[in-house]
Amino acid sequence: MAVTLEQAQRVGYTCLKALLRFAFMVANNLVAIPSYVLYLIMLQPLRLLDSKSFWYIEGVLFKWLLAMVASWGWWAGYTVVEWGDDVKAVSEDEAMVLVNHQATGDVCTLMMCLQDKGTVVRQMMWLMDHIFKYTNFGIVSLIHGDFFIRQGRAHRDQQLVLLKEHLEKYYRSRNRKWIVLFPEGGFLRKRRETSQAFAKKNNLPFLKHVTLPRLGATQVILKTLVAPQENGTPAGGDAVMKESKSKGLQWVIDTTIAYPKGEPIDIQTWILGYRQPTVTHVHYRIFPVKDVPAEPEALTHWLYQRFIEKEDLLTHFYETGAFPPLQGQTKAISREMTLSNLWLVGIQSLAFLSGGMWYCIFQYFYHCLF
């Protein structure tokens, strides 16, 4: 089949745009991430004198870095429409966010749609696969205090112990509010077949759009972060918690990400922008943590029910192009998530100015020394 001139021009334009976007992303990383690290190195005396102020500043810088990642998708036309409960109402409370996992772009989507949720982004902790530790963003996540979890049966018990210790050490001492995890334990395409076989063996529902979640990390988070008066178990952070008078984990936010035609966006697409502008749909449902059972068997059933509901939500979305209305509503209400281009340009400009400043500082000291 012969390629027309118009098709060749379109392909050439797409390749050129992808190349320019990749060059910008590389430059962005080369200035923004080292600047983040260097600013925090310079602020170490503040960390010793006033750790609360230090982690506040770190959180602001962290939010700006995530906004830069969000801008790569936003400027490519990858936008978000939100459905269900309004999570802004609980943005100042502690919450656990449960998300279905389809591709690497899920993380980028969350980085985008949580930008306008108050202090959430700068005060959140992520649970992610340990492989992300070795990406360009790994050093940032390590400093911020995110937890990298190793998958696989051989590591499971040890990882849950490490997660509990990590939460007790860092969650409240760094004033974290939201913790984000993907209970499926991997991408849909990789786990679906195994999950369906497990469901068949144990007489559980057959799921196509999600997989059956794993209990471990969810249970550890609830046991460690829910305040004693709510489930009778010790909350993490002992002295730190007493000082901050934390109410403990108050909400579970069940978050469902849906892509048109079930075609998820991966990180390569997010960076290179070769896919046509796409609207990703994100559905939220908020549960009070007091309604979440603590016993392992009951919690497993409750967690399975959330993912069965996700299956129903996604089935409805793929059939109709919209999520169903909430209970008590006659019509589903959607909200377009927006970012300020001026704000994004300002953050990007600050990153490049910071990179230039650090370069001049190093040049000055180099000439002084040599």
Side-chain angles (χ1 to χ4, degrees):
M1 181 178 176
V3 178
T4 66
L5 178 61
E6 183 180 351
Q7 288 174 326
Q9 288 176 333
R10 190 181 303 119
V11 171
Y13 171 73
T14 301
C15 291
L16 177 62
K17 182 177 72 171
L19 182 63
L20 292 174
R21 285 177 58 88
F22 181 74
F24 176 78
M25 184 276 294
V26 171
N28 207 176
N29 276 272
L30 287 175
V31 296
I33 293 176
S35 293
Y36 166 88
V37 174
L38 290 168
Y39 277 128
L40 295 182
I41 289 174
M42 295 295 292
L43 288 171
Q44 287 304 303
L46 177 63
R47 183 178 180 179
L48 296 174
L49 296 172
D50 186 353
S51 63
K52 184 177 180 180
S53 295
F54 173 85
W55 289 114
Y56 175 88
I57 295 170
E58 184 279 334
V60 172
L61 295 175
F62 184 78
K63 179 177 180 177
W64 289 355
L65 285 178
L66 267 59
M68 292 176 202
V69 176
S71 72
W72 304 340
W74 181 258
W75 287 334
Y78 305 147
T79 57
V80 172
V81 167
E82 298 175 307
W83 304 76
D85 293 327
D86 184 2
V87 296
K88 286 183 179 179
V90 298
S91 62
E92 296 302 316
D93 299 332
E94 289 188 26
M96 176 173 64
V97 185
L98 307 175
V99 193
N100 61 314
H101 209 9
Q102 301 173 70
T104 48
D106 298 341
V107 175
C108 300
T109 296
L110 290 172
M111 287 180 177
M112 174 186 286
C113 65
L114 296 179
Q115 282 290 326
D116 67 343
K117 306 300 186 293
T119 62
V120 163
V121 174
R122 66 177 177 82
Q123 292 182 289
M124 74 194 315
M125 179 181 285
W126 297 75
L127 264 66
M128 59 188 75
D129 192 280
H130 80 286
I131 197 67
F132 286 100
K133 185 188 297 185
Y134 308 106
T135 66
N136 59 318
F137 211 77
I139 183 64
V140 174
S141 291
L142 280 170
I143 294 172
H144 184 69
D146 297 329
F147 184 77
F148 299 95
I149 191 164
R150 292 182 67 90
Q151 303 294 342
R153 190 186 304 273
H155 306 287
R156 192 169 300 162
D157 292 340
Q158 181 194 26
Q159 290 299 296
L160 295 179
V161 171
L162 292 174
L163 172 60
K164 184 179 187 299
E165 293 173 353
H166 186 88
L167 293 173
E168 290 175 340
K169 186 174 182 180
Y170 298 117
Y171 191 80
R172 293 204 171 94
S173 67
R174 298 186 181 185
N175 195 29
R176 300 294 174 243
K177 289 292 183 69
W178 283 23
I179 183 164
V180 181
L181 69 155
F182 300 90
E184 291 166 293
F187 298 139
L188 174 64
R189 68 180 186 276
K190 293 183 177 181
R191 290 208 64 244
R192 179 159 39 199
E193 188 176 337
T194 304
S195 176
Q196 289 173 348
F198 177 83
K200 184 178 180 180
K201 182 179 179 181
N202 292 275
N203 197 29
L204 294 167
F206 183 86
L207 307 176
K208 296 190 301 182
H209 306 307
V210 295
T211 66
L212 289 170
R214 293 171 176 173
L215 178 67
T218 304
Q219 187 177 31
V220 168
I221 291 167
L222 289 171
K223 281 187 174 181
T224 309
L225 299 182
V226 173
Q229 66 269 22
E230 292 179 9
N231 74 346
T233 60
D238 42 60
V240 175
M241 183 176 175
K242 292 176 183 177
E243 290 174 9
S244 62
K245 298 181 181 178
S246 170
K247 296 178 181 178
L249 203 68
Q250 295 174 267
W251 310 99
V252 175
I253 303 174
D254 188 29
T255 303
T256 304
I257 299 176
Y259 299 94
K261 300 180 182 178
E263 298 174 355
I265 297 175
D266 54 29
I267 187 66
Q268 299 95 316
T269 306
W270 193 269
I271 292 169
L272 300 177
Y274 49 77
R275 182 168 166 176
Q276 291 298 309
T278 302
V279 179
T280 301
H281 297 257
V282 180
H283 183 279
Y284 306 105
R285 190 175 175 201
I286 302 173
F287 295 87
V289 79
K290 63 182 177 61
D291 294 341
V292 180
E295 292 301 317
E297 187 175 343
L299 178 59
T300 299
H301 176 73
W302 185 89
L303 196 57
Y304 280 179
Q305 285 302 119
R306 302 290 72 77
F307 277 77
I308 293 168
E309 289 175 7
K310 285 179 184 292
E311 176 78 10
D312 294 338
L313 285 171
L314 290 168
T315 298
H316 189 281
F317 176 83
Y318 294 139
E319 290 176 352
T320 66
F323 283 112
L326 293 172
Q327 188 174 5
Q329 292 181 344
T330 56
K331 182 180 179 182
I333 300 172
S334 62
R335 306 173 294 276
E336 288 189 16
M337 184 266 160
T338 60
L339 289 174
S340 167
N341 285 314
L342 182 61
W343 179 62
L344 293 176
V345 169
I347 290 172
Q348 294 283 9
S349 300
L350 179 62
F352 284 101
L353 287 171
S354 295
M357 178 193 74
W358 291 114
Y359 176 77
C360 291
I361 290 173
F362 282 120
Q363 284 287 95
Y364 172 78
F365 281 107
Y366 177 82
H367 288 300
C368 288
L369 293 173
F370 302 101

